[in-house]
Amino acid sequence: MKWLKRLGILFISLCLLGVAGIGGAYLYVLPDLPDVATLKTVQLQTPLRIYSSDGKLISQFGEKRRIPLNIEDIPKPLLEAFIATEDARFYDHGGIDPIGVVRSALVWASTGQKKQGASTITMQVARNFFLTRDKTIIRKVKEIFISYHIEQLLTKDEILELYVNRIYLGQRAYGVGAAAQVYYGKSVNELTLPEMAVIAGLPKAPSTLNPITSATRAIARRNIVLLRMEDVGYISKQQYQQAIQAPNTASYHGAEIDLYAPYISEMARDYMINKYGEEQAYTGGYNVYTTISSKLQLDAQSSLRDNVYAYDMRHGYRGPQATLWDTTTEDASPWGNEQIVKQLRKVKPIQDLIPAAVLNVNEQTVEVLSRSNEMHTLSWDNIKWARAYISDTKQGPAPKLASDILSAGQQVWIRKVGEQWQLAQVPQVSSAIVTLNPHDGAVKALVGGYSFSQSQYNRVTQAQRQLGSNIKPFIYTAALEKGYTLATLINNAPINEPDTRQGIAWRPKNSPDVYGGPTRLRVGLAKSINVMAVRALRMAGLTATRNRLIDFGFSPDELPKNESIALGSPSVTPMQVVTAFSTFANGGYLVKPYFINKITDSNEQMVEQATPLLACDKPKSQPEVDDKWAETLAALSEEQGIDVPSHEEKDNHSCSNTLEPHGYATPIISKQIAFLIRSALNSTITGGGNWGKGTGWNGTAWRAQSLKRKDLAGKTGTTNESRDTWFSGFNSDLVSTVWVGFDDHSRELGRTSYNNNEGRGQLFGAESGAKTAGPAWNEFMKQALKGVPENNITPPAGIISVRIDRETGKLTKKTDYTSRFEYFIKGTEPTEYAADKNDESNIFIDNSKESDLFQ
């Protein structure tokens, strides 16, 4: 019996030694153990997400893709798949599984290899949150003690939730939410059992078991996961047999972008990095809600793209992108479809342009093969545009046969237009479009170029280009403030007294070089007559005009101190221009553009909220209303159904009744001046006179008449040699600016000659704001205002209508085509008559009875 006693003493001694060893190890690593209480408030690193104002995802930034989920939102079979594979006794142990440790030790002792891991899910959480992946004894000891602390602090479900949200699952996906999206393009609730098993099998080796890059290994690992689920009773034998027969359906899925708007998302990303730093911005889980309207953004993108294509096509075809095989060479043989498609798939599509290869050229049709291995026939109507490009000002003759344009073996671009495919090419010209809400400055749409993938240069905010005649409304604003009226006659004649402040004798000319003598200011602005703008500047004064331009938001450094500013020599950005034009749309207030409405954290708690400046007067302080009077108002409202506004509503009737934080924009011109300029800019579109009597005339923006609306106003702009073209216009709720030009400032937009089907040339003329930028604005506003009622404004107080003689701008008693009603600030109307001075009928009109805004 002595040996039993000795054996007992030895066993107790070993136990005591073990306890002492564990205690010693604990005391040794205790100073290095982290505070596991931080797991209670842990913030998982989630990417930065950018949204439109209506909640559509625009972009996502950050290396780690993660979609944090609550455990109750994760399907039970997915959780069971992880438990069966990684830690079948998860709910039975206290963080360290003794049975698993013994089993792993026995396998290691018998085989000499570590084929069976002993890490529990809790230990993996400890390692993922607090430790490195170094394979050392000290790290393992720390892992054990941290796991014990975690089990004391958190419930099993809380531990499991941290695990499935933190674990790396390949392809930059962290957690099951991101993995479901990356591999299957689904939410976790949409996953099938085989798909869940694939994801649950990834933690062991996310790279080598990846279902995209290593499909065979991934399927083998999936089947092991399914077998373990059957072994522990999570699934039946039948479910197992069905699941292992499922094919691999994994493929890479990027973030589910609902609205592609890269220029605005890049602006938002830059803001977040500048404000919070790159690491915090990319991992803090911020949600940035922009002011962008998804509908208006799509309208703007398609309008800009189609307009750029139209410009590019009328300037001629620059030839194929490449030649795959040359049919003119005797020993050349056509490529097979497989070889063609392999080559085409090396070429990335650009916007809606798809690479294709020409297979057959018939008399007036062409057969092409696309990169998706689809055959398309290009009809004559879709290729006949392709006159040869010679220069920006010259194109070749109209083609008569398809062989005049293309040859078999050429690699070309095609795009789908409606239900047909059209020959295309990558445009070289650039463009930008931006739209604001004039009442608060919210950016509703912004496109900084044709293709973000080709150029990240944001032309809306970065491109400083000469403004051309888009500046004239601001020149005439200064003139109106100095006493001019819309009926003032300005001499439309050559300028013989040049401005020498530039160091040269600057003599501006009209475009075209035609002069008509004394002309009313309204007509001069609507027809964009250069010499009249210069004379208006001279009347207002150069210094006063420059100061006014600064008030509109233009940089003083870009405003030359000479008369060239009257014709748009200052360099400005489209954002500056659209902001300035907003003043005419909102009644004289300078709003501040903003593109971020609010920023929330990963829990949708508010981090930042915009405080826009509203285009209205700040409410005056109100007298207190006694309780009895307030009760009387409430009773009247309730009993008689009458909506009785509060004092605050009465005083602030012109402002948005918004509860959001806001300030008030600075009024820079009077409501009356803003109205008069808007009226004149309406004539830029509608024109005037009487065509039947031979006195009719068009404004430079007459093409916008196609929208069939009376509530639009706008202005064209063209610089010297047509290097920059502009169109800015608005109604009461939207202000948009379009710019078209080349990024190379020295390159002219040129001119084209239109060729009809017979090949006879007809002069089309130089590119201009009306022809080049205007069509994009017209198409955008047509789509943006579809179904939107016209919103004609009422003349503000202090504006009267007077019937004037069209030729002289003086009062008239006539009511025929020689006269019209004109708006004046009260006290500035003419006092002389062009006809019978004794008949003063039909002179003044009560504005409240006006049915049309502009006549």
Side-chain angles (χ1 to χ4, degrees):
M1 294 294 291
K2 287 184 178 182
W3 66 271
L4 285 176
K5 184 177 180 180
R6 291 174 181 173
L7 188 61
I9 294 172
L10 177 63
F11 178 75
I12 292 172
S13 298
L14 289 174
C15 288
L16 291 173
L17 277 173
V19 171
I22 293 173
Y26 179 73
L27 292 174
Y28 179 78
V29 300
L30 181 61
D32 297 327
L33 293 182
D35 181 8
V36 297
T38 57
L39 291 177
K40 279 284 190 180
T41 57
V42 67
Q43 293 291 320
L44 295 173
Q45 293 183 356
T46 53
L48 169 66
R49 294 186 175 93
I50 316 295
Y51 294 91
S52 66
S53 61
D54 45 347
K56 295 186 181 297
L57 182 63
I58 295 177
S59 191
Q60 178 173 286
F61 297 99
E63 290 191 11
K64 293 183 178 181
R65 295 182 59 178
R66 180 181 277 117
I67 304 174
L69 300 171
N70 295 324
I71 194 166
E72 57 266 21
D73 297 326
I74 302 173
K76 187 177 179 181
L78 180 56
L79 297 173
E80 291 173 340
F82 276 101
I83 292 171
T85 308
E86 298 295 325
D87 187 1
R89 288 174 33 81
F90 172 68
Y91 282 101
D92 299 325
H93 59 66
I96 301 95
D97 184 7
I99 296 176
V101 171
V102 172
R103 184 173 61 246
S104 178
L106 291 175
V107 170
W108 176 77
S110 61
T111 65
Q113 297 179 4
K114 188 185 176 207
K115 292 184 177 181
Q116 182 122 19
S119 289
T120 64
I121 285 177
T122 309
M123 293 169 73
Q124 292 184 56
V125 169
R127 181 169 64 244
N128 290 335
F129 276 93
F130 299 114
L131 301 172
T132 67
R133 301 190 72 86
D134 296 336
K135 295 183 178 181
T136 63
I137 295 176
I138 291 297
R139 194 223 71 189
K140 197 67 177 178
V141 171
K142 290 180 181 179
E143 186 178 298
I144 291 171
F145 288 126
I146 293 172
S147 299
Y148 175 77
H149 284 184
I150 290 174
E151 290 278 346
Q152 305 307 305
L153 178 71
L154 303 178
T155 67
K156 286 290 187 178
D157 282 351
E158 288 173 333
I159 296 170
L160 186 58
E161 182 179 298
L162 285 173
Y163 174 75
V164 295
N165 278 306
R166 176 83 178 202
I167 192 72
Y168 178 59
L169 297 170
Q171 297 289 340
R172 292 170 49 204
Y174 289 79
V176 294
Q181 169 59 39
V182 168
Y183 294 115
Y184 300 106
K186 300 177 179 181
S187 68
V188 290
N189 291 318
E190 299 173 308
L191 294 173
T192 64
L193 177 61
E195 291 167 348
M196 293 178 188
V198 168
I199 292 174
L202 287 170
K204 181 178 181 181
S207 297
T208 57
L209 298 177
N210 190 298
I212 298 175
T213 59
S214 304
T216 303
R217 292 178 180 176
I219 291 298
R221 177 64 176 171
R222 178 201 69 182
N223 293 344
I224 291 174
V225 172
L226 291 168
L227 180 61
R228 290 181 180 172
M229 291 181 73
E230 184 200 1
D231 287 343
V232 297
Y234 288 147
I235 61 174
S236 65
K237 184 73 172 179
Q238 183 180 3
Q239 287 176 304
Y240 167 75
Q241 291 295 341
Q242 288 178 343
I244 62 173
Q245 300 302 318
N248 178 32
T249 59
S251 61
Y252 182 77
H253 296 78
E256 284 193 51
I257 302 300
D258 301 313
L259 174 68
Y260 181 69
Y263 289 99
I264 196 71
S265 65
E266 188 67 13
M267 290 170 64
R269 184 185 75 89
D270 285 345
Y271 174 85
M272 294 299 292
I273 290 176
N274 291 333
K275 184 72 180 285
Y276 298 101
E278 185 169 334
E279 182 177 356
Q280 178 65 16
Y282 284 167
T283 62
Y286 293 110
N287 302 300
V288 179
Y289 292 90
T290 68
T291 58
I292 293 295
S293 159
S294 60
K295 179 190 181 302
L296 295 181
Q297 182 67 23
L298 291 173
D299 291 340
Q301 290 173 175
S302 62
S303 299
L304 180 145
R305 194 163 53 237
D306 290 344
N307 187 57
V308 165
Y309 287 141
Y311 168 88
D312 205 60
M313 290 168 66
R314 63 177 175 261
H315 280 264
Y317 182 54
R318 293 184 294 275
Q321 184 191 16
T323 299
L324 303 183
W325 68 90
D326 188 355
T327 56
T328 63
T329 305
E330 293 184 3
D331 58 349
S333 57
W335 288 14
N337 286 11
E338 183 177 345
Q339 185 181 6
I340 293 172
V341 170
K342 183 178 180 180
Q343 173 63 30
L344 293 178
R345 285 180 177 170
K346 297 178 182 178
V347 182
K348 291 183 178 181
I350 300 175
Q351 295 290 52
D352 56 345
L353 301 185
I354 306 297
V358 178
L359 297 185
N360 298 302
V361 178
N362 305 312
E363 185 175 356
Q364 288 194 333
T365 61
V366 174
E367 295 174 2
V368 299
L369 180 69
S370 73
R371 73 193 300 269
S372 58
N373 200 23
E374 295 179 316
M375 291 285 295
H376 302 293
T377 298
L378 309 184
S379 68
W380 182 243
D381 285 341
N382 289 309
I383 59 174
K384 67 181 182 182
W385 65 267
R387 295 172 293 153
Y389 170 85
I390 299 174
S391 70
D392 290 328
T393 59
K394 188 176 182 181
Q395 301 81 42
K400 296 181 178 180
L401 299 172
S403 57
D404 295 337
I405 306 168
L406 297 170
S407 300
Q410 292 178 339
Q411 182 178 318
V412 299
W413 294 100
I414 59 174
R415 64 185 288 251
K416 196 168 187 179
V417 181
E419 296 300 318
Q420 297 186 335
W421 288 89
Q422 184 181 74
L423 176 66
Q425 60 188 356
V426 179
Q428 295 181 348
V429 73
S430 297
S431 186
I433 183 171
V434 57
T435 297
L436 299 187
N437 177 342
H439 303 294
D440 65 1
V443 178
K444 307 307 293 181
L446 185 149
V447 188
Y450 162 73
S451 169
F452 187 80
S453 63
Q454 286 189 301
S455 171
Q456 289 77 51
Y457 183 54
N458 188 339
R459 294 155 189 86
V460 169
T461 59
Q462 296 175 295
Q464 296 230 339
R465 305 302 292 251
Q466 286 192 323
L467 186 53
S469 293
N470 241 207
I471 204 171
K472 289 175 181 174
F474 311 106
I475 303 299
Y476 284 112
T477 294
L480 290 177
E481 291 179 325
K482 290 291 186 177
Y484 272 23
T485 72
L486 296 184
T488 297
L489 293 181
I490 303 175
N491 197 10
N492 177 13
I495 290 178
N496 297 316
E497 298 176 5
D499 179 13
T500 59
R501 275 171 288 221
Q502 301 183 61
I504 60 173
W506 183 68
R507 286 186 175 89
K509 296 182 179 181
N510 286 342
S511 179
D513 195 13
V514 177
Y515 304 85
T519 304
R520 285 179 290 120
L521 187 153
R522 174 187 288 273
V523 178
L525 177 53
K527 298 177 73 171
S528 198
I529 299 173
N530 288 341
V531 295
M532 291 180 63
V534 175
R535 288 192 166 97
L537 169 67
R538 288 181 173 180
M539 182 273 174
L542 178 60
T543 300
T545 303
R546 287 185 77 254
N547 289 338
R548 257 300 171 228
L549 289 168
I550 294 170
D551 291 339
F552 277 102
F554 298 117
S555 171
D557 295 336
E558 297 295 336
L559 300 175
K561 295 180 180 180
N562 57 62
E563 292 179 352
S564 68
I565 63 173
L567 304 186
S569 60
S571 294
V572 296
T573 66
M575 184 66 84
Q576 289 176 303
V577 177
V578 75
T579 304
F581 268 87
S582 294
T583 304
F584 302 129
N586 65 31
Y589 299 87
L590 183 65
V591 294
K592 183 179 180 181
Y594 71 102
F595 61 92
I596 294 178
N597 183 39
K598 66 178 180 179
I599 301 171
T600 65
D601 61 18
S602 57
N603 297 316
E604 288 296 338
Q605 297 299 306
M606 191 71 71
V607 176
E608 286 186 41
Q609 185 162 18
T611 55
L613 303 181
L614 303 186
C616 56
D617 295 328
K618 186 175 182 180
K620 299 176 182 178
S621 59
Q622 301 295 332
E624 294 183 3
V625 182
D626 59 73
D627 294 339
K628 187 174 181 180
W629 176 241
E631 292 173 4
T632 302
L633 290 177
L636 184 63
S637 176
E638 182 177 352
E639 293 174 11
Q640 299 187 22
I642 299 174
D643 184 15
V644 181
S646 67
H647 281 263
E648 290 78 6
E649 291 171 329
K650 287 179 181 179
D651 181 75
N652 203 26
H653 62 87
S654 63
C655 253
S656 293
N657 291 322
T658 177
L659 298 178
E660 302 293 339
H662 63 270
Y664 296 93
T666 302
I668 58 170
I669 59 174
S670 69
K671 292 179 173 63
Q672 293 77 23
I673 295 291
F675 175 83
L676 293 178
I677 293 294
R678 176 172 180 167
S679 175
L681 292 178
N682 175 262
S683 294
T684 305
I685 295 173
T686 61
N690 188 305
W691 292 96
K693 298 295 184 179
T695 62
W697 54 270
N698 272 325
T700 56
W702 60 268
R703 290 174 177 84
Q705 294 175 20
S706 62
L707 276 68
K708 295 180 170 52
R709 298 180 69 101
K710 296 180 180 179
D711 62 340
L712 300 177
K715 185 69 190 76
T716 57
T718 310
T719 62
N720 291 338
E721 288 83 38
S722 298
R723 288 189 173 92
D724 297 283
T725 58
W726 298 82
F727 195 102
S728 298
F730 55 89
N731 76 342
S732 294
D733 300 311
L734 289 178
V735 185
S736 299
T737 288
V738 175
W739 168 84
V740 180
F742 288 101
D743 289 333
D744 178 359
H745 288 228
S746 65
R747 186 172 176 181
E748 302 173 16
L749 287 165
R751 60 192 303 117
T752 60
S753 58
Y754 175 79
N755 286 270
N756 59 24
N757 291 338
E758 286 74 38
R760 292 192 296 270
Q762 177 184 348
L763 185 65
F764 185 84
E767 300 291 343
S768 65
K771 299 172 184 175
T772 314
W777 186 91
N778 295 344
E779 182 60 26
F780 170 72
M781 293 299 276
K782 176 183 176 182
Q783 298 302 324
L785 299 177
K786 186 177 292 183
V788 178
E790 290 192 23
N791 188 7
N792 293 330
I793 65 170
T794 302
I799 291 288
I800 62 171
S801 281
V802 173
R803 186 179 288 277
I804 65 167
D805 176 65
R806 291 180 184 272
E807 184 177 354
T808 65
K810 296 179 179 180
L811 297 175
T812 182
K813 65 179 182 180
K814 294 184 179 181
T815 59
D816 59 10
Y817 68 92
T818 65
S819 69
R820 63 158 288 154
F821 283 110
E822 185 57 276
Y823 291 112
F824 296 88
I825 298 175
K826 191 172 184 179
T828 66
E829 69 274 12
T831 57
E832 296 182 12
Y833 298 87
D836 186 358
K837 298 180 181 180
N838 295 321
D839 186 357
E840 298 181 5
S841 62
N842 297 316
I843 294 177
F844 294 94
I845 297 297
D846 181 356
N847 288 328
S848 65
K849 296 180 180 178
E850 292 272 353
S851 59
D852 261 347
L853 173 57
F854 309 125
Q855 300 185 37

